[in-house]
Amino acid sequence: MKRILITGGAGFIGSHLCERLMAENHEILCVDNYFTGRRHNVAHLMSQASFELMRHDVTFPLYVETDEIYNLACPASPMHYQFDPVQTTKTSVHGAINMLGLAKRTRSKILQASTSEVYGDPDVHPQVEGYNGNVNPIGPRACYDEGKRCAETLFFDYHRQHNLRIKVGRIFNTYGPRMLPNDGRVVSNFIVQALNGDDITIYGDGSQTRSFCYVDDLVDALIRLMGSADAFTGPVNLGNPSEATILELAELIIKMTKSRSKIVNKALPQDDPVRRRPDISLAKEALDWEPQVCLEHGLEKTVHYFKSLATT
Ligand code: NAD
Ligand code: UDP
């Protein structure tokens, strides 16, 4: 049994990770400031003695004892990370410094939930880990992109300077149950709009692409990454390489929900990446991992979740 700290553990991915690690009989300390996370997401774990939930903002130091740290704290939806951009950068940068300091004191292994956004609007396709990216450092997405890039820098400097055992996973668009219905990300937006019969809002002409990974696959990748040999630090791309345009996603969700919703086009946000698809050769080789859940199957489960919210 390990003592595992999960920051951002009451959020979408974090709550699934808590669940999986609890099932493996570890002791879990879930830390969250509830900006986009909800206590409700982990309520079903709270009756177990090996689960502890703590309200804490990672921009402040934390003194606890741990063996492993998964650092997930940070809003992931553009709408939320742009709401208070200064706090977003602080969460990534001060949060990383605080969690790395904790890992150094406790000699814990620490994993950073990094992102495909470190590649910005990429001019290499599909994205490989060796590509250094194309990020606008002063645009509206920069608080997130540059915050996450700086966090990666800090992880590698702690590794080189203090011999810390680090793992950096670059997560590509992930979806599934427990996304917030109003968090502005494309999968939750389209499903909620389709179920309500509202217009499906495509930003731009819908020709931009993303590659969507179901949350169970992603959680599996994070656990494999944490368990990999100490010499393997990453960065490693974690995502589903099957790529779709946003228009194709909208059409699929309309078909699956048998919705009467109409597609409408809205302005494309500034710096919205045009194409995104992970090259996952490294994850396949180093973690023996590749996604198992296809988009249609993952969307079915996610639609089911949003339907259940509507009836509760
Ligand atoms: P989420 O918004 O559901 O989860 C983030 C969690 O962090 C929330 O519970 C939030 O309340 C918490 N949090 C935010 N600021 C905090 C702070 N200062 N102190 C403590 N807790 C704080 O998002 P998610 O999709 O579950 O993302 C989890 C992690 O994975 C994030 O770091 C995100 O950047 C990364 N990621 C996610 C995706 C994706 O597609 N979901 C893609 C790339 C990277
Ligand atoms: N998007 C859209 N309609 C929406 C929400 C998002 O067309 O209602 C687009 C958005 O412009 C982007 C893609 O869908 O091109 C993915 O957006 P999301 O916010 O989910 O993630 P990210 O841009 O961070 O990949």
Side-chain angles (χ1 to χ4, degrees), residues 106-159:
T106 57
R107 303 309 300 170
S108 298
K109 211 188 311 184
I110 181 166
L111 181 150
Q112 169 67 358
S114 192
T115 169
S116 53
E117 288 282 327
V118 299
Y119 302 122
D121 188 4
D123 31 35
V124 167
H125 191 83
Q127 290 78 59
V128 284
E129 289 85 353
Y131 172 55
N132 287 335
N134 174 35
V135 173
N136 173 1
I138 58 168
R141 298 177 85 101
C143 58
Y144 183 75
D145 300 9
E146 298 289 15
K148 290 282 189 179
R149 286 170 67 95
C150 184
E152 287 199 8
T153 307
L154 286 160
F155 267 67
F156 277 85
D157 282 335
Y158 267 78
H159 174 63

Side-chain angles (χ1 to χ4, degrees), residues 8 10-14 31-37 56-59 72-76 87 91 113-115 144 148 171-174 185:
F12 157 53
I13 297 175
V31 161
D32 208 294
N33 71 348
Y34 308 126
F35 177 49
T36 49
H56 177 78
D57 184 322
V58 294
T59 62
L72 271 64
C74 186
Q87 172 68 10
T91 293
S114 192
T115 169
Y144 183 75
K148 290 282 189 179
I171 304 172
F172 283 64
N173 295 67
T174 299
R185 285 186 267 190

Side-chain angles (χ1 to χ4, degrees), residues 89-300:
T89 302
K90 280 187 187 170
T91 293
S92 281
V93 178
H94 292 186
I97 291 171
N98 289 328
M99 293 309 114
L100 286 161
L102 173 61
K104 184 175 161 226
R105 180 178 63 75
T106 57
R107 303 309 300 170
S108 298
K109 211 188 311 184
I110 181 166
L111 181 150
Q112 169 67 358
S114 192
T115 169
S116 53
E117 288 282 327
V118 299
Y119 302 122
D121 188 4
D123 31 35
V124 167
H125 191 83
Q127 290 78 59
V128 284
E129 289 85 353
Y131 172 55
N132 287 335
N134 174 35
V135 173
N136 173 1
I138 58 168
R141 298 177 85 101
C143 58
Y144 183 75
D145 300 9
E146 298 289 15
K148 290 282 189 179
R149 286 170 67 95
C150 184
E152 287 199 8
T153 307
L154 286 160
F155 267 67
F156 277 85
D157 282 335
Y158 267 78
H159 174 63
R160 284 185 288 253
Q161 206 175 324
H162 299 297
N163 264 323
L164 222 62
R165 291 174 298 156
I166 62 156
K167 308 283 174 189
V168 174
R170 291 181 177 158
I171 304 172
F172 283 64
N173 295 67
T174 299
Y175 69 98
R178 305 204 192 111
M179 295 183 90
L180 289 175
N182 59 350
D183 88 349
R185 285 186 267 190
V186 68
V187 172
S188 43
N189 263 14
F190 286 1
I191 292 178
V192 170
Q193 289 163 345
L195 292 179
N196 292 340
D198 295 337
D199 289 344
I200 306 273
T201 54
I202 288 190
Y203 303 158
D205 62 6
S207 62
Q208 71 270 39
T209 68
R210 294 293 185 272
S211 306
F212 296 100
C213 185
Y214 187 65
V215 65
D216 288 356
D217 281 332
L218 196 271
V219 164
D220 188 37
L222 292 177
I223 293 172
R224 280 172 190 249
L225 175 56
M226 184 64 104
S228 61
D230 283 354
F232 185 72
T233 56
V236 56
N237 290 337
L238 305 175
N240 192 318
S242 113
E243 185 179 2
T245 67
I246 295 304
L247 177 60
E248 285 165 349
L249 178 74
E251 286 168 343
L252 180 59
I253 289 174
I254 289 173
K255 191 178 109 203
M256 287 177 61
T257 54
K258 302 187 177 64
S259 174
R260 286 160 188 255
S261 292
K262 306 235 165 352
I263 288 176
V264 297
N265 295 90
K266 301 237 169 164
L268 188 67
Q270 188 191 329
D271 296 335
D272 200 281
V274 177
R275 296 182 77 186
R276 185 184 285 158
R277 171 157 66 96
D279 180 319
I280 60 163
S281 315
L282 180 60
K284 279 186 186 164
E285 184 201 314
L287 310 177
D288 189 24
W289 173 85
E290 65 183 310
Q292 304 296 318
V293 183
C294 69
L295 183 59
E296 199 146 350
H297 192 195
L299 284 176
E300 262 169 35

Side-chain angles (χ1 to χ4, degrees), residues 55-67:
R55 181 194 290 263
H56 177 78
D57 184 322
V58 294
T59 62
F60 297 94
L62 178 66
Y63 293 91
V64 293
E65 302 310 315
T66 60
D67 300 308

